[in-house]
Amino acid sequence: FVHIMSLAQKSEHQHGRISFANSNSSESNPPDYEAVDVLGPRGPQDGGLSVLSIDMCVADNRKDHYTDKYKNSSLIVRRNKEFTIIIKLNRAFSAEQDNVQLEFMIGNSPNVNKGTYITVSIGKEKRDGRWNGRVIGTQDTEVTMGITPDASCIIGRFRTFVAVVTDLGKQRTQRNPDTDLYVLFNPWDPADQVYMDKEEDIQEYVMNDVGNIYDGDFNNITSFSWNFGQFEEGVLDACLMIMDAGKVPLMYRGNATQVVRQASALLNSQDDKGVMVGNWSGDYSGGTAPTAWTGSPEILLKYINEGYEPVRFAQCWVFAGVMNTFMRGLGIPTRAITTFRSAVDNTGNLKTDIVLDEDGKLDRSRTKDSVWNFHCWNEVYMKRPDLPDNFSGWQVIDCTPQETSDGLYRCGPTSVNAIKEGELSYPFDAKFVFAEVKSMPCSCFYAADKYGKLKIISVNTVYVGKLILTKKKDSSEYEDITSNYKYPEGSLKERETMQMAVRRGVTSMDNLTLPEAGVDIELQADTIKIGDNFKLTLNIKNQTSQTCTISVVITGCAAFYTGITSTTFMFENLSATVEASKTESLTIDVTALEYMPYLVEQSNLLFMVYGRVEESDTSLCTMKVVNLQPPELTMKMTGSPRVGKELMVSVEFLNPYNFTLKKVQLRIDGPGLTQTKLKQYSQILPGASVIYKVLLIPQSLGKKVLMACLDCPLLRQVTNQLEFEVVQDENINEQSVILGTR
């Protein structure tokens, strides 16, 4: 019988224990956040067997389990893969006479039936349990054991004990944090729920600790690097402590489906004290602007070190970056996804309704839905035992708080294959994700007359879900995965998918038939830097057999990346006569003086065009987002990247504007190179430069990415990165180590 109870520290010294030869825990060990102690009878009888020490064989085991990158002194293993332990006894072990039991415990109330108390026995009373154990060999007084956690065991930090079992009871080793054992998901093992069959996929989606996140607009895709840093010191413990703080039941932690669903709620603070506070207001006083972060470790460790106080602030790419870290750190294959023209259906009718007033301006008070320039979420790779087999694989999860699911702000996991096939009745949140990426349901433009009555003036079936991207494996380029979510527009399969979605509860759009105008309009603009004057070109294509007269209203306003508009700075009335089967182009000049006073973060301008064809009395409508590009942030390296050798990197910025930049933050970050460094400037005057120099000492070989981000209220998210190869001292080739900057 196992007697388990929580004890005060004083009690540890009041009961007989079998001591280690070296039992003092190092101060560098993570805090024991699952404290529980175990009692046994007093010391062994004369001539009895006792345990002198346990060697967790950390270095060898971690190499075999692909966990040697974690900056953590404890043993970290993966499910369903054997690891070795060497037990040193006071005499030689006899399999016929002795009975030794290894015990692994997790949580405050370890229980055999719940998988939180694991026993592995050797000797005369060997019993089979959840984990397999075997004697690999004996030498003198040492026994080498092989232990294999089962393929569905709980993920987390286990406490390790060795008990000598006699007729008088059990004699246990004392609690020692140095022998704690972390168990993670195992994507290398076919029996694990998160198994991937290609090594290059595992290297990218589990082992890569830095990546790119894509933003901008689908016509002007930009990107920035993000430090996932899942192997950095304290990050793994932070992920486990977040689940503890969120009271995630231990019984859920062996099920990848439940772990990711719980995490999608835990990482936002919308309805609890989760990790990050979402903020899209533009006012970030009392916190850090979402555009200023460079990686996840700073955020996760800040949350833990400040007593589980939600970190301020985050937007979708920050949520996605931290989720990537959380999942990869636990061993779940994960990737960050960007959807361009992502619909947010706040009215619940599974189409995106955009309302214009009688002048052709966007009616902000009546437009409840929005189309985000881009939206970031994550995909995790796993088998879904709760779904038909063809819906396993990549699953959408999204911890950006948008709507509740089962009472909490979270989303997923949702099968990507189910979204593509229109099978929206399976868990979880399939209809919401479907509306974000599908072009049907569609974007409907409404016009209000002077009495406020609405009528549909235009239906755009291809505006939403234009492009879906993720980082390409072993590359800094992007991979287009749109076809994973949807069939080609207008194809037979796409129509069949919509029919299936209608059967699963999506509103049919068949009744949205409007008279054909026979005229198409398109708004174009070149790539423009912040502060530049530029030209808009409106192309009017007459596809009818008669001359048409078109009058248009063009509205320009500053806009957040979420599609929410700010101040209107331009209102133009134009007209054109276009001959049959011809195209006419109108040019509109936009000056910096017009838009600069009204720019909001990420510097997006939204232009809305509302037109009428006089001959047919039909309406036209289109939108164009112009994403203005920030100035350059220069990064230079001095020296050669060698393990253990100093390396100087300088970051330089010139303020090109005629106004002062105030409250400037400059972050430098790079896993395996440096912890996040923050430099603050009270102001940077017009035409002035700042140079920040950082001394680095690379600690490991291989490709490294050093990233920098300058951010202030008037200029958000100016980024760059250096990519280089760190080599051994004797193999240095200074001409080849720099891979590139961006």
Side-chain angles (χ1 to χ4, degrees):
F1 177 73
V2 180
H3 181 52
I4 303 171
M5 62 183 296
S6 295
L7 296 172
Q9 184 72 25
K10 180 180 177 182
S11 298
E12 289 193 11
H13 306 290
Q14 293 178 334
H15 299 83
R17 298 292 179 84
I18 308 303
S19 298
F20 287 93
N22 180 12
S23 63
N24 292 327
S25 62
S26 169
E27 291 183 359
S28 64
N29 276 291
D32 181 20
Y33 46 86
E34 296 167 330
V36 66
D37 217 334
V38 183
L39 286 181
R42 298 181 184 274
Q45 302 296 315
D46 291 341
L49 186 69
S50 64
V51 179
L52 301 181
S53 66
I54 303 173
D55 181 355
M56 303 300 285
C57 304
V58 173
D60 290 340
N61 282 324
R62 285 177 53 154
K63 186 176 181 180
D64 290 343
H65 285 249
Y66 311 108
T67 59
D68 50 327
K69 287 188 175 182
Y70 287 90
K71 294 180 180 176
N72 184 309
S73 60
S74 296
L75 176 57
I76 305 172
V77 302
R78 298 189 185 274
R79 304 197 297 192
N80 208 39
K81 184 173 177 64
E82 187 178 74
F83 63 92
T84 57
I85 291 179
I86 299 175
I87 304 170
K88 187 173 183 179
L89 305 169
N90 66 328
R91 62 166 171 79
F93 173 73
S94 170
E96 292 75 25
Q97 298 179 12
D98 297 324
N99 189 14
V100 175
Q101 190 175 79
L102 274 75
E103 300 175 328
F104 303 95
M105 305 182 190
I106 189 169
N108 291 325
S109 301
N111 184 293
V112 172
N113 295 326
K114 294 181 179 180
T116 55
Y117 173 49
I118 306 294
T119 61
V120 177
S121 300
I122 59 171
K124 63 179 181 179
E125 295 183 14
K126 186 180 187 307
R127 299 187 189 93
D128 293 330
R130 288 177 181 256
W131 294 13
N132 291 326
R134 68 187 181 101
V135 175
I136 297 174
T138 60
Q139 184 174 359
D140 298 329
T141 63
E142 294 183 345
V143 180
T144 301
M145 288 193 63
I147 309 294
T148 305
D150 67 283
S152 60
C153 86
I154 291 167
I155 298 307
R157 180 182 173 191
F158 287 78
R159 303 178 297 282
T160 303
F161 301 89
V162 178
V164 175
V165 183
T166 68
D167 293 340
L168 299 176
K170 290 183 179 179
Q171 303 154 2
R172 285 191 180 87
T173 54
Q174 68 178 19
R175 169 79 170 98
N176 184 354
D178 288 345
T179 62
D180 282 358
L181 168 74
Y182 294 78
V183 181
L184 306 181
F185 290 100
N186 189 355
W188 284 270
D189 189 84
D192 200 291
Q193 188 182 350
V194 301
Y195 170 66
M196 298 189 95
D197 60 357
K198 294 181 180 179
E199 178 64 24
E200 60 266 30
D201 288 347
I202 298 175
Q203 291 303 315
E204 181 65 50
Y205 304 126
V206 179
M207 302 301 289
N208 199 349
D209 57 1
V210 67
N212 294 342
I213 297 178
Y214 298 93
D215 61 355
D217 185 67
F218 91 100
N219 281 321
N220 183 23
I221 299 166
T222 54
S223 68
F224 54 90
S225 290
W226 190 266
N227 173 14
F228 300 129
Q230 66 267 31
F231 305 122
E232 297 300 297
E233 185 175 359
V235 170
L236 176 58
D237 279 293
C239 296
L240 299 177
M241 293 166 76
I242 288 165
M243 288 197 287
D244 289 344
K247 295 180 171 57
V248 177
L250 286 168
M251 61 183 292
Y252 284 1
R253 300 189 198 183
N255 184 328
T257 306
Q258 287 292 347
V259 168
V260 301
R261 182 150 177 81
Q262 296 290 325
S264 72
L266 293 174
L267 294 189
N268 71 71
S269 66
Q270 193 74 8
D271 42 25
D272 51 27
K273 291 192 70 175
V275 176
M276 293 172 285
V277 179
N279 184 350
W280 288 264
S281 71
D283 178 8
Y284 307 119
S285 54
T288 299
T291 45
W293 301 112
T294 53
S296 308
E298 182 182 5
I299 295 169
L300 291 168
L301 297 178
K302 181 179 176 66
Y303 178 70
I304 298 300
N305 293 335
E306 296 184 1
Y308 304 96
E309 186 65 30
V311 178
R312 302 170 182 265
F313 295 101
Q315 291 178 6
C316 69
W317 67 91
V318 183
F319 285 110
V322 175
M323 177 65 84
N324 236 45
T325 302
F326 194 98
M327 293 292 105
R328 289 187 185 183
L330 298 179
I332 299 176
T334 313
R335 59 189 186 181
I337 306 297
T338 300
T339 301
F340 292 93
R341 303 276 177 86
S342 175
V344 178
D345 173 34
N346 292 316
T347 52
N349 60 6
L350 291 178
K351 66 182 191 299
T352 309
D353 298 331
I354 298 168
V355 182
L356 308 180
D357 64 19
E358 58 182 319
D359 295 324
K361 297 179 182 177
L362 185 69
D363 188 333
R364 291 199 293 260
S365 65
R366 303 184 72 174
T367 299
K368 305 299 183 184
D369 298 338
S370 62
V371 179
W372 294 28
N373 292 358
F374 67 91
H375 177 51
C376 299
W377 60 58
N378 302 83
E379 288 178 1
V380 291
Y381 193 89
M382 64 179 62
K383 182 175 177 57
R384 288 291 299 271
D386 56 326
L387 303 183
D389 287 344
N390 58 317
F391 296 141
S392 291
W394 288 114
Q395 314 285 317
V396 172
I397 53 171
D398 190 351
C399 62
T400 300
Q402 296 181 86
E403 68 170 22
T404 59
S405 173
D406 295 333
L408 296 173
Y409 278 91
R410 58 183 168 186
C411 180
T414 307
S415 168
V416 172
N417 288 342
I419 296 300
K420 183 173 184 176
E421 300 299 334
E423 290 281 6
L424 308 183
S425 57
Y426 294 111
F428 299 89
D429 312 308
K431 288 183 180 179
F432 183 79
V433 177
F434 185 86
E436 288 186 292
V437 302
K438 287 290 186 178
S439 58
M440 284 285 287
C442 52
S443 298
C444 297
F445 295 87
Y446 295 78
D449 60 22
K450 60 183 179 180
Y451 302 108
K453 185 177 180 180
L454 298 179
K455 69 172 182 177
I456 297 178
I457 58 171
S458 179
V459 175
N460 189 331
T461 64
V462 296
Y463 191 81
V464 169
K466 292 291 288 187
L467 188 65
I468 305 173
L469 303 179
T470 191
K471 178 185 173 297
K472 187 180 292 187
K473 287 181 290 186
D474 196 28
S475 170
S476 59
E477 302 300 318
Y478 63 73
E479 178 184 359
D480 183 351
I481 59 170
T482 310
S483 61
N484 291 1
Y485 284 82
K486 53 205 296 188
Y487 289 102
E489 303 292 347
S491 67
L492 175 61
K493 288 294 294 183
E494 195 258 351
R495 290 194 295 273
E496 290 174 351
T497 296
M498 284 309 305
Q499 292 168 1
M500 176 62 72
V502 169
R503 290 197 292 272
R504 296 292 184 260
V506 172
T507 304
S508 174
M509 299 294 136
D510 291 341
N511 59 338
L512 294 180
T513 55
L514 296 174
E516 290 287 337
V519 177
D520 290 335
I521 56 175
E522 180 187 28
L523 202 57
Q524 294 181 328
D526 294 330
T527 301
I528 305 122
K529 287 187 176 181
I530 298 171
D532 286 354
N533 301 329
F534 64 95
K535 295 181 183 297
L536 287 173
T537 301
L538 178 65
N539 296 318
I540 306 172
K541 185 177 183 180
N542 182 2
Q543 298 175 304
T544 71
S545 58
Q546 64 180 26
T547 299
C548 292
T549 303
I550 299 97
S551 59
V552 297
V553 174
I554 302 178
T555 305
C557 52
F560 296 90
Y561 85 97
T562 56
I564 304 300
T565 58
S566 182
T567 307
T568 298
F569 65 84
M570 189 184 83
F571 188 76
E572 294 275 350
N573 287 285
L574 301 171
S575 62
T577 301
V578 186
E579 295 180 5
S581 303
K582 298 288 186 180
T583 299
E584 290 286 336
S585 296
L586 302 178
T587 301
I588 305 99
D589 290 318
V590 182
T591 67
L593 286 174
E594 290 179 280
Y595 69 77
M596 283 297 288
Y598 307 108
L599 279 184
V600 293
E601 59 193 57
Q602 296 181 313
S603 305
N604 294 310
L605 304 178
L606 175 65
F607 294 93
M608 182 79 66
V609 181
Y610 172 47
R612 294 193 63 79
V613 181
E614 292 184 6
E615 288 75 11
S616 60
D617 195 31
T618 53
S619 297
L620 308 168
C621 200
T622 191
M623 295 189 300
K624 171 70 176 178
V625 175
V626 175
N627 181 241
L628 303 178
Q629 301 302 298
E632 186 177 6
L633 187 66
T634 304
M635 299 181 71
K636 295 180 181 179
M637 179 187 297
T638 303
S640 301
R642 293 173 288 180
V643 172
K645 299 295 183 180
E646 292 184 347
L647 182 69
M648 181 68 72
V649 173
S650 63
V651 182
E652 183 174 359
F653 175 76
L654 168 68
N655 179 4
Y657 305 116
N658 60 2
F659 52 86
T660 300
L661 300 175
K662 297 182 178 181
K663 298 180 179 178
V664 180
Q665 291 188 347
L666 176 60
R667 275 180 171 78
I668 294 180
D669 204 354
L673 294 170
T674 180
Q675 293 183 333
T676 307
K677 294 184 180 296
L678 173 61
K679 177 70 173 178
Q680 303 193 61
Y681 301 93
S682 59
Q683 62 179 22
I684 304 176
L685 298 174
S689 295
V690 293
I691 300 177
Y692 181 37
K693 294 185 177 182
V694 177
L695 190 65
L696 306 175
I697 303 178
Q699 299 299 313
S700 58
L701 298 172
K703 285 184 179 179
K704 303 296 178 186
V705 179
L706 185 70
M707 59 206 74
C709 178
L710 182 140
D711 192 89
C712 67
L714 292 179
L715 185 63
R716 295 296 187 191
Q717 206 169 27
V718 183
T719 65
N720 200 356
Q721 67 178 34
L722 281 176
E723 299 180 16
F724 53 89
E725 187 91 16
V726 176
V727 299
Q728 291 285 8
D729 202 359
E730 62 271 19
N731 296 327
I732 191 66
N733 181 346
E734 191 168 340
Q735 300 302 313
S736 64
V737 292
I738 304 297
L739 302 183
T741 63
R742 204 191 53 210

